Every structure is written in structure tokens, then in C-alpha cells.
Amino acid sequence: MTLQKQFTVWLVALVVMIVSLYVFRGILLPFVAGMALAYLLDPVADAFERLGMNRMWATVSVLMVFVLFFIMMLVVLVPTLANQMAGFAEKFPSYMASLQKLILTSSSDFLPRFLSDFDAASVQNNIKDLMGQGAKWIGTLIQSLWNGGQALIDMLALLVITPVVAFYLLYDWDRMVATIDGWLPRDHQYTIRRLVNQMDESVSGFVRGQITVGLILGVFYAVSLSLLGLNFGLLIGLGAGVISFIPYVGATLGLLVAGGVAIVQFWPEPLPIGLALGIFAIGQFLEGNILQPRLVGERVGLHPVWLMFALLAFGSLFGFVGMLIAVPAAAAVGVIIRYILEQYLQSPLYRGTKGNLVLKPQEETEDEA
């Protein structure tokens, strides 16, 4: 088969897959969640097998432990988080009004003298418009995610179907991998295996590592803010930990929300406000210097900008399902692009017809020296 025909076959397969995802996006959530759960728990099931269990008992044990842990979290955390979420939604307008009032009343004491000539009414209207646009954007985002996931129906399907899908996939995981490996075209099996292994390393390194980092940060933020006595500290801390897989976004949003609530709650006392901000500074230090290097490392290869683009693009196309597949899809595309670039750098198109490489300015300078 010529290179052109191979490219055509793979392109058609990619288009069919994307179209299928788009057409069936409304029912894919429990299946994608079950596949993700099986993928995450497969190393644990393998470890249980090494302890002497057969695959069936290893699968049952792993899923039972996960389900019990999940139920315990639901019983312990969900009622508290639901109450805090309802309370935060109720008090959000008053918090915004209080912050607006503090900014306007204290601006003459803290802002430069030349800003005193600004029209206070105009500033107030601009702040109102900005806060209104922000609240509208947040509401639109939540509504789109809610609609994309088909709301209550998909949540019920998620709770019922996901464990069943995860069980069968986890039980047959090694067999499925071996079967798919047997379908690979013989001339390209080693290349495909190498690419798939790189994708697996990238996805597993990011997802498993980042879940651990998010849990640690979420617990740290939630416990610290709750001990400080901050209103809705548990909700703010866990929320910042959950979205910490997007670099800087979780800490920044958590810092802004916690700082705003702390200012309204504790003003004019500077110590608790400073402590609320310092908690996120400590969290960022721990994440950047200890947690990320040890648990995620540099092998992932997902640039923050590429990750955020993938989340927004897949979320816009496929709703909540798209956000679940955004990270593995971004990792896979990144591996393929690096492979294409590697092939290009070794091809005559880059090296030229004579196979001579063009020296970079640095290399020319070193040769001359």
C-alpha cells in the first residue's frame, strides 16, 4: 500500500471516529467515564494479581474499594458541599456589592492621587457591568455543562452504568490490549506500539499524577481555610484543588474567591485576610516545588496553553464528555505531532537533496572558534 493510500485510510478512520463521537455525544458519558475508571484502576488490579488473586477477584476487590470510598465521600462531603454551594450562591450578590463598596470607599486612601479625578459614578457602573458580565459568563458555562451532560438523566446513568462498564473493561483489559495489538498492520506494528506507549506514559503520568496532586491540594486548601474560619472554606478549597489540573487556574480562582470572601468577612483586620492569601501562596509553592516534580514530572509533555485549548475546544464540541476526553486526546495529538516533526527533521524535505544540515548560528560560531 502506498503512503498516500495509508494516509487516506487513517484520515478516514479519524473522521469516522470524530463524527461518531459527535453524533453519540449525548449517551457517551457513562461509557467514557467507565473506560477512564478502568484505565485508572488497571495498575491497582495488576498489583492485586501479583499478590496472588485471579483477575476476577482482583477486579471485584478494586471496584468494591473504589465504590465504598466513593459512597463514603458522598455521605460525608456532598451534604456539606451542597449547603455551602447554596449559601454561596445566595450570598454572592451581597459579597459583590460589599466588595464594590469597599473598593469605591477606600480608593481615595490607597490609589494614586491622579485617580481621584475619576468619576465615581462611572467607576461604579463599570464595576457593576464587569461583575454582571462575569456572573453571566459563569452561569452560561454551568448551564452549557449541565445541558451537555443531559442533566439528571446522565447523572443517573453515570451512577448506574459506569460501574458496570468499568467492571467489564477492567476484567478484560489485558485481553483487549492483546487483541488490538494483534490487529496492527505488521509493517508498522513497532512504530505504532512505540507511539501508543508514549501516549500511555503521557496520559497516565498526567492524569494519575494530577489527580493525586489535586486531592492533596484540595484537602490542604479546604482544611486550612476551614481552620481559618473562612465562610465556605471547604467549598472554595476543594474547588481550587479539583481544577488545579489546569496550571495556575485553580490557584488563581481559589485565591480570588477566597481573597474576596476574606475581605468581606474580616475587613478591616489584615491578619486573617493575609493568612487566606498566604494559604494559596504556600499551596503554589508545594505544588511547583514538591508535588508536581515528584508525582507528575517532566515526562508528560502537555503544555498548559495546549491543555487549556483542548479543554475548551472539546468541551464546546462534545459538552462534559468532551472535557473528559480532552486530556488523553491532547496527549495523543501531542505525541503524533512530535513523531511527525521527528520524521520531518530526518527527511530530505528538511535536510535537502544533498542531505546537508544547515548549521544554526550558535553551531557556526562554535566551529569557527
Side-chain angles (χ1 to χ4, degrees):
M1 185 181 291
T2 64
L3 180 62
Q4 183 178 1
K5 289 183 178 179
Q6 292 180 32
F7 178 78
T8 303
V9 169
W10 288 108
L11 181 61
V12 170
L14 177 63
V15 171
V16 169
M17 183 183 69
I18 293 175
V19 171
S20 299
L21 286 174
Y22 185 79
V23 171
F24 297 108
R25 67 190 184 278
I27 62 170
L28 285 178
L29 179 59
F31 299 96
V32 173
M35 185 181 299
L37 184 60
Y39 176 78
L40 292 174
L41 296 180
D42 179 63
V44 184
D46 292 340
F48 280 19
E49 279 192 285
R50 288 192 293 269
L51 294 176
M53 291 185 179
N54 59 34
R55 188 67 184 185
M56 172 64 75
W57 282 110
T59 301
V60 172
S61 301
V62 169
L63 284 178
M64 283 184 62
V65 170
F66 176 81
V67 170
L68 288 175
F69 176 79
F70 183 75
I71 292 175
M72 183 179 67
M73 290 297 100
L74 286 179
V75 172
V76 173
L77 289 180
V78 168
T80 304
L81 288 176
N83 290 333
Q84 290 200 3
M85 193 174 294
F88 184 77
E90 181 181 352
K91 293 187 177 182
F92 182 76
S94 63
Y95 278 166
M96 292 296 98
S98 299
L99 278 175
Q100 176 186 333
K101 183 178 179 181
L102 284 173
I103 292 172
L104 293 176
T105 56
S106 60
S107 60
S108 58
D109 299 327
F110 297 101
L111 294 180
R113 192 181 291 267
F114 69 86
L115 293 177
S116 60
D117 296 332
F118 282 6
D119 184 8
S122 176
V123 174
Q124 184 175 5
N125 291 332
N126 289 335
I127 292 175
K128 284 182 177 179
D129 292 341
L130 180 62
M131 291 180 176
Q133 290 294 329
K136 182 179 178 181
W137 181 83
I138 293 173
T140 303
L141 176 63
I142 294 174
Q143 186 65 34
S144 65
L145 291 178
W146 186 259
N147 291 337
Q150 292 191 2
L152 185 60
I153 297 176
D154 266 9
M155 291 305 297
L156 291 175
L158 191 68
L159 294 176
V160 175
I161 299 176
T162 298
V164 179
V165 175
F167 171 80
Y168 284 108
L169 291 179
L170 189 58
Y171 177 67
D172 290 327
W173 190 268
D174 296 333
R175 193 183 310 165
M176 288 189 304
V177 171
T179 301
I180 294 173
D181 183 75
W183 293 342
L184 298 179
R186 299 296 92 183
D187 290 341
H188 307 287
Q189 57 181 322
Y190 297 109
T191 300
I192 296 174
R193 285 172 185 167
R194 179 167 67 89
L195 293 177
V196 171
N197 287 334
Q198 290 177 4
M199 294 176 190
D200 176 66
E201 182 180 357
S202 182
V203 173
S204 62
F206 183 85
V207 174
R208 294 180 181 128
Q210 202 61 55
I211 286 176
T212 306
V213 171
L215 286 174
I216 295 174
L217 288 177
V219 171
F220 170 73
Y221 290 143
V223 172
S224 301
L225 294 175
S226 298
L227 291 176
L228 181 62
L230 185 72
N231 293 337
F232 316 111
L234 182 66
L235 176 66
I236 296 171
L238 290 179
V242 167
I243 59 176
S244 65
F245 69 95
I246 308 176
Y248 308 112
V249 172
T252 302
L253 288 178
L255 177 69
L256 292 175
V257 176
V261 174
I263 290 173
V264 174
Q265 181 179 348
F266 298 117
W267 186 267
E269 300 178 19
L271 181 60
I273 297 175
L275 288 175
L277 301 178
I279 287 170
F280 284 91
I282 294 173
Q284 275 296 282
F285 175 82
L286 293 175
E287 180 182 5
N289 295 278
I290 298 176
L291 298 178
Q292 285 281 355
R294 292 179 179 272
L295 299 175
V296 181
E298 299 296 331
R299 66 187 185 280
V300 175
L302 286 178
H303 194 278
V305 176
W306 173 237
L307 177 62
M308 287 186 282
F309 173 80
L311 285 168
L312 291 175
F314 279 83
S316 176
L317 288 173
F318 306 111
F320 188 72
V321 175
M323 300 189 74
L324 286 179
I325 65 176
V327 171
V333 172
V335 169
I336 293 173
I337 290 176
R338 286 193 293 272
Y339 172 75
I340 294 174
L341 182 60
E342 175 187 332
Q343 297 300 308
Y344 162 69
L345 294 176
Q346 296 176 1
S347 69
L349 182 63
Y350 173 74
R351 293 174 175 266
T353 56
K354 297 181 180 179
N356 295 323
L357 289 175
V358 179
L359 293 177
K360 297 178 181 178
Q362 270 187 341
E363 295 172 344
E364 291 177 349
T365 305
E366 291 175 359
D367 290 343
E368 292 174 0

